[in-house]
Amino acid sequence: MDIKNTLQSFSTMTYSARQQFMVQNGDWMLQEMLTHIGSPDTELRDKLIYRTFIDILSDNLLSTEQIQYLFDTAISDDFLYLNIGEEMTDSVFTRSFSALLVASILAKDAELLILHDDRLQIFFQKIGRFLLLEKDTRGYVQDKGWAHSIAHGADLAAMTIKHPKFDLQHAPLILHALKLVTWKDIVFVNDEEERLINIIEALLDRNYSEEALIEFVEQVFDKFEMHLVTQGYNDAFFSGRTCTLNVMKTLYFALKMNNLAPKLQNTIYGQVAKWLKLGA
């Protein structure tokens, strides 16, 4: 069977036909979907594989064992961390769409609570590494579709925080990655800021300390001073400064519109105003 034709056919099946197909061919189909999760063929990767993963999770067409298998495989070095640190290669599609798959599995597990606790805890301890190590910042790639690994990594981090078994003691590692994600020598142009601030909003939803987030924001802006002391005014400073200010301004308005964390708002406002003035 060809996976592309199979998924095209699967998308037109009734629910009962899908159930029957999964009983007979589910393991094979899941393995093929994983094999091709990073395909440069945007129709296969994005429109068929990813959407089918969403459908079968939403419709409860997977066994507990299959969900665990997908999770264990997708978070591995051969998927979520495949060749991480590479730039401008197709490996980004495997990492990026593995991140989306893991986020979808975590959203489902938040309802079912079926994933093995020990595997979850290992994952929770390591999740900050993804945004920290990812260097391929491309959004839309000509002829291959969306890579968007930073945005998908942000989605995964936010969904991780929302998981009921996530311990907030792991939050500083995610915040550390968030602090440095804007210093990758580019300025985001594909609404990555909107996705990144979901991390902070997820922490606030979990009643994470506003004081700890104020300290995080102060550290974010301390990075400006540190860069100037160590490297001076160079291209990396200006891209990092602009990218960071864009994220912080987006966070400020999100907090303000939702009436959240007034002290955090004030801290962000003061720092942004200071650095905008210095940059004028």
Side-chain angles (χ1 to χ4, degrees), residues 32-206:
E32 286 295 299
M33 288 165 70
L34 286 170
T35 298
H36 297 282
I37 196 171
S39 169
D41 178 346
T42 186
E43 183 187 8
L44 176 58
R45 180 188 73 249
D46 202 341
K47 296 188 172 123
L48 292 172
I49 292 176
Y50 174 59
R51 290 185 188 179
T52 301
F53 273 133
I54 296 297
D55 287 347
I56 58 180
L57 282 164
S58 301
D59 292 341
N60 299 309
L61 291 171
L62 297 172
S63 67
T64 298
E65 291 75 21
Q66 287 172 327
I67 293 174
Q68 185 70 56
Y69 170 71
L70 287 177
F71 179 75
D72 290 343
T73 305
I75 65 172
S76 72
D77 289 347
D78 292 329
F79 285 82
L80 186 60
Y81 295 100
L82 177 70
N83 298 336
I84 198 161
E86 283 188 352
E87 300 176 66
M88 310 299 288
T89 70
D90 286 347
S91 67
V92 68
F93 295 111
T94 296
R95 295 192 299 275
S96 186
F97 281 80
S98 293
L100 283 184
L101 173 57
V102 177
S104 300
I105 293 170
L106 289 175
K108 191 65 182 178
D109 191 59
E111 305 167 24
L112 303 177
L113 298 177
I114 55 174
L115 291 176
H116 292 165
D117 193 60
D118 58 336
R119 315 268 175 84
L120 272 175
Q121 295 308 319
I122 292 169
F123 170 74
F124 291 155
Q125 290 166 24
K126 292 169 58 179
I127 180 55
R129 291 175 62 237
F130 184 83
L131 287 173
L132 200 59
L133 298 177
E134 181 59 79
K135 290 187 178 178
D136 197 322
T137 55
R138 289 175 295 170
Y140 190 81
V141 180
Q142 188 68 36
D143 299 324
K144 296 178 182 178
W146 286 97
H148 227 196
S149 193
I150 297 297
H152 294 173
D155 294 345
L156 174 55
M159 191 58 69
T160 299
I161 292 164
K162 292 175 184 177
H163 193 282
K165 289 187 176 179
F166 179 78
D167 191 322
L168 289 173
Q169 70 173 346
H170 302 311
L173 295 173
I174 296 177
L175 289 172
H176 177 66
L178 182 58
K179 179 175 65 180
L180 298 179
V181 76
T182 51
W183 291 85
K184 295 184 186 287
D185 295 331
I186 57 98
V187 175
F188 298 132
V189 295
N190 290 292
D191 296 327
E192 286 89 349
E193 300 92 347
E194 304 285 345
R195 312 282 270 275
L196 288 164
I197 68 162
N198 288 337
I199 295 170
I200 303 297
E201 293 180 318
L203 286 169
L204 287 170
D205 285 344
R206 291 287 307 273

Side-chain angles (χ1 to χ4, degrees), residues 16-32:
S16 58
R18 286 184 174 196
Q19 278 185 308
Q20 185 176 355
F21 182 90
M22 289 302 294
V23 169
Q24 296 173 341
N25 303 291
D27 288 346
W28 171 84
M29 188 174 83
L30 293 177
Q31 186 58 59
E32 286 295 299

